[in-house]
Amino acid sequence: MTFSKDFYWGGAVAANQCEGAWNVDGRGMARTDVTTGGTVNTPRMVTFIDKDGQKQKLPKHGFKLPEGAHFAVFDDELYPNHDGIDFYHHYKEDIALLKEMGFKMFRLSISWSRIYPTGEETEPNQAGLDFYRNVFTELRNAGIEPLVSIWHFDTPLALEEKYGDWQDRKYIELYEKYVTTIFKEYKGLVKYWLTFNEINNTINFLPDDASDEAFQEAYQHLHYQFVASARAVQIGHAIDPNYQIGCMICGITYYPLTSDPEDILFNRYKWEKGIFYCGDVQCKGKYPTYAKRLWKEHNVELDITEQDLVELKNGTVDLYTFSYYMSQSITTHKNEDTVGGNMSFGVRNPYLTYSDWGWALDPQGLRYYLEVVYDRYELPLMVVENGLGAFDTVEEDGSIHDDYRIDYYRAHIKEMDKAIEEGIDLIGYTTWGCIDLVSAGTGEMRKRYGFIYVDKHDDGTGTMKRSKKDSFYWYKKVIESNGENL
Ligand code: P53
């Protein structure tokens, strides 16, 4: 086996999907607090009051707050992120379980609105700072290195209402204030940071036939985030030169479904628009040549200053990190056999099998992706999300036999092993939802990822009791043997 002795084996979660305690200790709201539950075929809805004072809801995917509307929470709706799995009150117990598995790294995110409830306060919320200090201390005491996502889709809702969704330059300085606070506060406790989780989702999941206006907004949103990220890298390094600050890309391996040159070109477009665009700016410190082509196609004109370009150049990341769940097959030909329900994840690839949520199971796609991005950036890499969302059955004796999940992980770890053998500098692996949590895409609990089961259900019931699945014991062995015993 090729894993170095200090390889970071671990798991990952995000604040809004696990913490719960949405309105506790001064926390402000984020988008997930006004988003209902859904399923693979029924979209999650965002709830708000329109300009005439009427209750309204619209699908989460592609959501934009209408003129004069205000986000709102309604008693007759169920918001699964409000309770999450109550990590806020269970973190000690949860970290003890991660320690038992032998975790070397735990990826989690800070909820911006716990630190700055509306984003615009001048002083941070002490209770929020204390919570993460306690969590990081608990992790350190357990010998687990924290990997902290600074933003995991959770912009303070007050900012979104006031300035649109990253449609204002003002966001850069507000994010700077937030990162300065946490970089100073957790110096000595945290070393690894990620500026924006799956930053590329904004463009990658924008439908290819979206309006020019939607493309304009997506590219502008990204530009402000790129500058914010580059500022964060510089601020972080000034506060602690040991900080390792990474980008985080939603890694999807795109394949053309046919050999038609149109499909080959379309596939290249998917990689450029969906995957490379963000990584190139964050790793190379400038926009790639093809950016002009992408903008031109949709008549995009961006607010980019000379100073912004300097910031991008001076704020390149130290690490490239990404999530990997699936490959996606795409075609320009008419093809109704799409997968993924209300969020399309391409068309069916006859050589692959699919999860119950339409995600292609493709471990080789992970190695392909690792090879492509290492060749492109030559930066240390981490796979910071990978996992199988599946229905789990609790047996009468309380055991959970999730061999499908073990098979999934085994196959992906084997591909990482091969990549390392080739010389790729892969330094860590944090599996997604190492403890069951609320799905980002569908808001479901029953789409479970964990080694640890949480008794929490889609109708809001459950005791929140934690229990160990078969995969818990398996992953413990994997870590113990440093990837030898699969
Ligand atoms: P869920 C779509 C495709 C790939 C990754 O996703 C994605 C999404 C968004 O749904 O998001 C990441 O929970 C994200 C996590 C999320 C995880 O993948 O929809 O960083 O927050 O939970 C899994 O099954």
Side-chain angles (χ1 to χ4, degrees), residues 17 152 197-198 205 250 325 359 385 432 439-441 447 449:
Q17 291 170 257
H152 196 114
N197 179 67
E198 292 191 341
F205 292 141
C250 178
Y325 293 92
W359 296 24
E385 287 183 28
W432 179 248
S439 156
K447 187 180 187 188
Y449 284 91

Side-chain angles (χ1 to χ4, degrees), residues 316-333:
T316 56
V317 292
D318 304 312
L319 313 159
Y320 181 101
T321 83
F322 65 102
S323 60
Y324 178 80
Y325 293 92
M326 63 186 131
S327 59
Q328 264 187 46
S329 299
I330 53 90
T331 180
T332 57
H333 294 259

Side-chain angles (χ1 to χ4, degrees), residues 148-169:
V148 177
S149 317
I150 296 168
W151 178 93
H152 196 114
F153 310 145
D154 50 359
T155 304
L157 201 61
L159 293 182
E160 204 179 317
E161 207 166 291
K162 192 162 164 190
Y163 300 112
D165 189 9
W166 286 84
Q167 293 305 309
D168 196 303
R169 184 168 279 282

Side-chain angles (χ1 to χ4, degrees), residues 263-276:
D263 276 9
I264 306 300
L265 281 171
F266 185 43
N267 185 57
R268 189 188 64 170
Y269 171 79
K270 296 297 273 187
W271 276 96
E272 288 176 342
K273 162 184 169 267
I275 308 296
F276 293 146

Side-chain angles (χ1 to χ4, degrees), residues 173-438:
E173 71 187 65
L174 294 170
Y175 181 86
E176 270 185 41
K177 178 182 66 180
Y178 163 49
V179 298
T180 305
T181 301
I182 58 175
F183 282 156
K184 284 189 179 157
E185 181 75 23
Y186 304 121
K187 184 171 171 172
L189 276 175
V190 177
K191 176 179 171 195
Y192 291 97
W193 303 90
L194 306 177
T195 54
F196 287 93
N197 179 67
E198 292 191 341
I199 190 168
N200 57 320
N201 283 5
T202 300
I203 191 71
N204 190 29
F205 292 141
L206 185 70
D208 296 311
D209 59 358
S211 67
D212 283 0
E213 188 197 352
F215 273 93
Q216 168 73 33
E217 284 180 8
Y219 283 121
Q220 189 64 65
H221 176 294
L222 285 175
H223 178 71
Y224 293 144
Q225 292 196 334
F226 292 153
V227 178
S229 173
R231 288 290 307 147
V233 171
Q234 297 171 69
I235 292 167
H237 287 160
I239 291 171
D240 186 343
N242 289 320
Y243 277 168
Q244 294 288 300
I245 306 172
C247 63
M248 197 304 200
I249 306 290
C250 178
I252 288 175
T253 300
Y254 284 107
Y255 301 143
L257 188 73
T258 78
S259 53
D260 179 349
E262 290 293 339
D263 276 9
I264 306 300
L265 281 171
F266 185 43
N267 185 57
R268 189 188 64 170
Y269 171 79
K270 296 297 273 187
W271 276 96
E272 288 176 342
K273 162 184 169 267
I275 308 296
F276 293 146
Y277 182 80
C278 296
D280 284 358
V281 175
Q282 292 185 286
C283 297
K284 298 180 175 183
K286 60 181 173 110
Y287 278 102
T289 312
Y290 60 81
K292 287 208 181 72
R293 169 159 48 81
L294 297 181
W295 297 334
K296 204 164 162 216
E297 275 166 13
H298 294 285
N299 304 307
V300 169
E301 286 189 33
L302 296 180
D303 164 30
I304 301 180
T305 66
E306 285 301 316
Q307 186 56 32
D308 289 350
L309 299 177
V310 175
E311 301 296 349
L312 295 182
K313 192 156 180 289
N314 293 337
T316 56
V317 292
D318 304 312
L319 313 159
Y320 181 101
T321 83
F322 65 102
S323 60
Y324 178 80
Y325 293 92
M326 63 186 131
S327 59
Q328 264 187 46
S329 299
I330 53 90
T331 180
T332 57
H333 294 259
K334 199 170 154 53
N335 188 322
E336 306 287 330
D337 198 6
T338 56
V339 289
N342 64 66
M343 273 182 89
S344 173
F345 291 119
V347 296
R348 190 170 300 277
N349 180 331
Y351 303 99
L352 297 175
T353 56
Y354 287 80
S355 82
D356 290 321
W357 279 262
W359 296 24
L361 306 175
D362 184 9
Q364 291 189 86
L366 172 57
R367 181 159 50 86
Y368 185 104
Y369 193 95
L370 283 163
E371 290 165 356
V372 166
V373 295
Y374 191 63
D375 206 30
R376 199 171 179 100
Y377 307 121
E378 294 186 333
L379 284 176
L381 306 178
M382 284 200 220
V383 178
V384 295
E385 287 183 28
N386 173 237
L388 177 68
F391 297 106
D392 288 333
T393 308
V394 185
E395 306 294 338
E396 250 162 53
D397 66 355
S399 58
I400 296 147
H401 304 307
D402 57 342
D403 44 305
Y404 36 89
R405 186 168 291 112
I406 294 173
D407 292 344
Y408 179 98
Y409 282 129
R410 182 186 295 117
H412 286 80
I413 293 172
K414 280 185 180 164
E415 296 298 327
M416 297 192 313
D417 185 29
K418 287 184 204 160
I420 295 172
E421 184 147 17
E422 290 170 12
I424 289 172
D425 190 15
L426 175 62
I427 63 168
Y429 179 58
T430 57
T431 65
W432 179 248
C434 47
I435 176 161
D436 289 347
L437 39 59
V438 176

